[in-house]
Amino acid sequence: MSIIASRLSRIKPSPTIAVTNKARELKAAGRDVIGLGAGEPDFDTPDNIKAAAIKAIESGDTKYTAVDGTPALKKAICAKFERENGLKYTPEQITVGVGGKQVLYNALMATLNPGDEVIIPAPYWVSYPDMVELAEGTPVFVSCPAGQGFKLQPADLEKAITPKTKWLILNSPSNPSGAAYTRAEMKALTDVLVRHPHVWVMTDDMYEHLLYDGLEFVTPAQVEPSLYDRTLTVNGVSKSYSMTGWRIGYAGGPKELIKAIGVIQSQSTSNPTSISQAAAVEALNGPQDFIKERAEVFRQRRDLVVSMLNQAKGLSCPKPEGAFYVYPSCAGTIGKKTPEGKVIETDEDFVTYLLESEGVAVVQGSAFGLAPHFRISYATSTEALEEACKRIQRACGNLRD
């Protein structure tokens, strides 16, 4: 009898983390590698946020806190939701976890029974299906190809709903595609959900502040208030405030659900780090002007990467509305041969070729449920992005029929 639980056979390690680790290993071995796999801003955490953490340490704010967040942080989150999203929550409707990932995981663990279905538009963040599987639910994938802007269509959502559907997971702007829904597009989806009162919506708004070209951010419960009582609105400080390592995510939702999430957290991690929570209070309550400034830098990088990738033979790169990812198609490289004579048969073959031939680390689209594509994170320096795109152009130019 194996010591390893059978449930682990249903999930796989994160491909994005695997790519990042592989790039680090090659760098440590002396290879010149440009890593474009990690989904974290290259900007530093703002000084006022770091100062708040230091103050918390110096004032002895280093003890256990309430399991699902300090009163001060819950108050700041309530203020954020009302200020930016028009959503009114009380502290009893707020949960704080060790990153947005834990909040999503806790919610699924607290709500899914064996056989419950969760609709996941593809391409999707790699962790969604595995978290559903761990909670003994059934992922139901709905393909959202480039021709649809990588966005879920109302008719496709309607078809995917069954009596067993418990959740729809919606991520806008999206990881990996950068696709973001307009108000009208979101309203069309919420109209479908209104007709199916047994379906809840779990909305991952982590990239809320990374929207470009004047697009307005909207979240489901804001667009359709009648969904408020069956929506979990998930967010965090990781991306907008360059606080990935601080590990603070949060959500607002119905009291019964928030209480159940707290039960799961109380028997797993207990509270998020007290110091990180103090820093998150300052992030949400403090100056916000730098967010737009950094978003403008990301927009410029997006435009550079999209332009250069569309000049690469065999690639086609749509321009995303948000986040800091592009999701180009490499369909034009499938069937071609590398200089060494290896045939590119899949997007995984293509990204392996990029890494081995040019030292550029990206993530294959099959990991996100939609191939043949690959994901590039442009959350790195403009110089590194320009060099990486030149290498990709060269690699594509070296492929032969």
Side-chain angles (χ1 to χ4, degrees), residues 67 102 106 260-271:
V67 165
Q102 187 187 28
N106 286 349
I261 289 171
V263 171
I264 297 291
Q265 190 158 311
S266 71
Q267 298 297 351
S268 54
T269 61
S270 293
N271 64 274

PDB file of all heavy atoms in Angstrom, residues 67 102 106 260-271:
ATOM      1  N   VAL A  67      -8.492  34.117  12.747  1.00  0.00           N
ATOM      2  CA  VAL A  67      -8.174  33.133  11.708  1.00  0.00           C
ATOM      3  C   VAL A  67      -8.270  33.713  10.309  1.00  0.00           C
ATOM      4  O   VAL A  67      -7.398  33.500   9.466  1.00  0.00           O
ATOM      5  CB  VAL A  67      -9.098  31.898  11.841  1.00  0.00           C
ATOM      6  CG1 VAL A  67      -9.049  31.046  10.578  1.00  0.00           C
ATOM      7  CG2 VAL A  67      -8.680  31.057  13.039  1.00  0.00           C
ATOM      8  N   GLN A 102      -5.381  30.476  -1.803  1.00  0.00           N
ATOM      9  CA  GLN A 102      -5.971  29.801  -0.647  1.00  0.00           C
ATOM     10  C   GLN A 102      -7.448  30.128  -0.496  1.00  0.00           C
ATOM     11  O   GLN A 102      -8.255  29.254  -0.146  1.00  0.00           O
ATOM     12  CB  GLN A 102      -5.251  30.167   0.654  1.00  0.00           C
ATOM     13  CG  GLN A 102      -5.780  29.329   1.817  1.00  0.00           C
ATOM     14  CD  GLN A 102      -5.256  29.721   3.177  1.00  0.00           C
ATOM     15  OE1 GLN A 102      -4.905  30.861   3.412  1.00  0.00           O
ATOM     16  NE2 GLN A 102      -5.217  28.752   4.081  1.00  0.00           N
ATOM     17  N   ASN A 106     -10.086  27.219  -0.394  1.00  0.00           N
ATOM     18  CA  ASN A 106     -10.954  27.063   0.779  1.00  0.00           C
ATOM     19  C   ASN A 106     -12.425  27.083   0.382  1.00  0.00           C
ATOM     20  O   ASN A 106     -13.240  26.307   0.900  1.00  0.00           O
ATOM     21  CB  ASN A 106     -10.689  28.189   1.784  1.00  0.00           C
ATOM     22  CG  ASN A 106      -9.384  28.015   2.544  1.00  0.00           C
ATOM     23  OD1 ASN A 106      -8.759  26.969   2.479  1.00  0.00           O
ATOM     24  ND2 ASN A 106      -8.985  29.052   3.246  1.00  0.00           N
ATOM     25  N   ALA A 260     -17.999  29.264   6.500  1.00  0.00           N
ATOM     26  CA  ALA A 260     -17.534  27.918   6.126  1.00  0.00           C
ATOM     27  C   ALA A 260     -16.086  27.953   5.658  1.00  0.00           C
ATOM     28  O   ALA A 260     -15.291  27.056   5.981  1.00  0.00           O
ATOM     29  CB  ALA A 260     -18.432  27.353   5.028  1.00  0.00           C
ATOM     30  N   ILE A 261     -15.721  28.984   4.914  1.00  0.00           N
ATOM     31  CA  ILE A 261     -14.332  29.147   4.478  1.00  0.00           C
ATOM     32  C   ILE A 261     -13.425  29.290   5.702  1.00  0.00           C
ATOM     33  O   ILE A 261     -12.335  28.715   5.753  1.00  0.00           O
ATOM     34  CB  ILE A 261     -14.207  30.378   3.553  1.00  0.00           C
ATOM     35  CG1 ILE A 261     -14.866  30.079   2.201  1.00  0.00           C
ATOM     36  CG2 ILE A 261     -12.752  30.779   3.361  1.00  0.00           C
ATOM     37  CD1 ILE A 261     -14.980  31.294   1.295  1.00  0.00           C
ATOM     38  N   GLY A 262     -13.901  30.028   6.720  1.00  0.00           N
ATOM     39  CA  GLY A 262     -13.119  30.195   7.943  1.00  0.00           C
ATOM     40  C   GLY A 262     -12.890  28.885   8.676  1.00  0.00           C
ATOM     41  O   GLY A 262     -11.826  28.678   9.273  1.00  0.00           O
ATOM     42  N   VAL A 263     -13.882  27.980   8.621  1.00  0.00           N
ATOM     43  CA  VAL A 263     -13.723  26.672   9.260  1.00  0.00           C
ATOM     44  C   VAL A 263     -12.593  25.890   8.595  1.00  0.00           C
ATOM     45  O   VAL A 263     -11.745  25.291   9.272  1.00  0.00           O
ATOM     46  CB  VAL A 263     -15.042  25.878   9.200  1.00  0.00           C
ATOM     47  CG1 VAL A 263     -14.829  24.438   9.658  1.00  0.00           C
ATOM     48  CG2 VAL A 263     -16.113  26.552  10.061  1.00  0.00           C
ATOM     49  N   ILE A 264     -12.568  25.886   7.268  1.00  0.00           N
ATOM     50  CA  ILE A 264     -11.490  25.206   6.545  1.00  0.00           C
ATOM     51  C   ILE A 264     -10.137  25.805   6.909  1.00  0.00           C
ATOM     52  O   ILE A 264      -9.176  25.083   7.229  1.00  0.00           O
ATOM     53  CB  ILE A 264     -11.704  25.320   5.019  1.00  0.00           C
ATOM     54  CG1 ILE A 264     -12.993  24.616   4.590  1.00  0.00           C
ATOM     55  CG2 ILE A 264     -10.492  24.760   4.260  1.00  0.00           C
ATOM     56  CD1 ILE A 264     -12.977  23.123   4.698  1.00  0.00           C
ATOM     57  N   GLN A 265     -10.067  27.129   6.923  1.00  0.00           N
ATOM     58  CA  GLN A 265      -8.784  27.790   7.212  1.00  0.00           C
ATOM     59  C   GLN A 265      -8.336  27.553   8.647  1.00  0.00           C
ATOM     60  O   GLN A 265      -7.133  27.436   8.917  1.00  0.00           O
ATOM     61  CB  GLN A 265      -8.902  29.289   6.926  1.00  0.00           C
ATOM     62  CG  GLN A 265      -7.561  30.014   6.955  1.00  0.00           C
ATOM     63  CD  GLN A 265      -7.616  31.316   6.173  1.00  0.00           C
ATOM     64  OE1 GLN A 265      -8.070  31.353   5.045  1.00  0.00           O
ATOM     65  NE2 GLN A 265      -7.155  32.385   6.794  1.00  0.00           N
ATOM     66  N   SER A 266      -9.297  27.449   9.559  1.00  0.00           N
ATOM     67  CA  SER A 266      -8.938  27.266  10.972  1.00  0.00           C
ATOM     68  C   SER A 266      -8.254  25.931  11.215  1.00  0.00           C
ATOM     69  O   SER A 266      -7.500  25.775  12.176  1.00  0.00           O
ATOM     70  CB  SER A 266     -10.195  27.361  11.842  1.00  0.00           C
ATOM     71  OG  SER A 266     -11.026  26.226  11.665  1.00  0.00           O
ATOM     72  N   GLN A 267      -8.513  24.945  10.336  1.00  0.00           N
ATOM     73  CA  GLN A 267      -7.908  23.624  10.508  1.00  0.00           C
ATOM     74  C   GLN A 267      -6.783  23.370   9.498  1.00  0.00           C
ATOM     75  O   GLN A 267      -6.323  22.240   9.360  1.00  0.00           O
ATOM     76  CB  GLN A 267      -8.982  22.542  10.388  1.00  0.00           C
ATOM     77  CG  GLN A 267     -10.063  22.632  11.446  1.00  0.00           C
ATOM     78  CD  GLN A 267      -9.544  22.438  12.868  1.00  0.00           C
ATOM     79  OE1 GLN A 267      -8.397  22.072  13.076  1.00  0.00           O
ATOM     80  NE2 GLN A 267     -10.386  22.698  13.856  1.00  0.00           N
ATOM     81  N   SER A 268      -6.354  24.408   8.799  1.00  0.00           N
ATOM     82  CA  SER A 268      -5.225  24.250   7.872  1.00  0.00           C
ATOM     83  C   SER A 268      -4.103  25.212   8.241  1.00  0.00           C
ATOM     84  O   SER A 268      -3.195  24.855   8.976  1.00  0.00           O
ATOM     85  CB  SER A 268      -5.679  24.440   6.414  1.00  0.00           C
ATOM     86  OG  SER A 268      -6.341  25.668   6.241  1.00  0.00           O
ATOM     87  N   THR A 269      -4.207  26.445   7.827  1.00  0.00           N
ATOM     88  CA  THR A 269      -3.108  27.391   8.084  1.00  0.00           C
ATOM     89  C   THR A 269      -3.336  28.286   9.279  1.00  0.00           C
ATOM     90  O   THR A 269      -2.396  28.904   9.776  1.00  0.00           O
ATOM     91  CB  THR A 269      -2.898  28.315   6.869  1.00  0.00           C
ATOM     92  OG1 THR A 269      -4.107  29.058   6.648  1.00  0.00           O
ATOM     93  CG2 THR A 269      -2.545  27.517   5.640  1.00  0.00           C
ATOM     94  N   SER A 270      -4.578  28.435   9.734  1.00  0.00           N
ATOM     95  CA  SER A 270      -4.960  29.515  10.646  1.00  0.00           C
ATOM     96  C   SER A 270      -4.708  30.855   9.952  1.00  0.00           C
ATOM     97  O   SER A 270      -4.818  30.953   8.745  1.00  0.00           O
ATOM     98  CB  SER A 270      -4.240  29.397  11.982  1.00  0.00           C
ATOM     99  OG  SER A 270      -4.689  28.251  12.679  1.00  0.00           O
ATOM    100  N   ASN A 271      -4.333  31.878  10.723  1.00  0.00           N
ATOM    101  CA  ASN A 271      -4.315  33.225  10.148  1.00  0.00           C
ATOM    102  C   ASN A 271      -3.169  33.466   9.173  1.00  0.00           C
ATOM    103  O   ASN A 271      -2.101  32.870   9.296  1.00  0.00           O
ATOM    104  CB  ASN A 271      -4.230  34.269  11.263  1.00  0.00           C
ATOM    105  CG  ASN A 271      -2.931  34.185  12.058  1.00  0.00           C
ATOM    106  OD1 ASN A 271      -2.838  33.417  13.012  1.00  0.00           O
ATOM    107  ND2 ASN A 271      -1.924  34.956  11.673  1.00  0.00           N
TER     108      ASN A 271
END
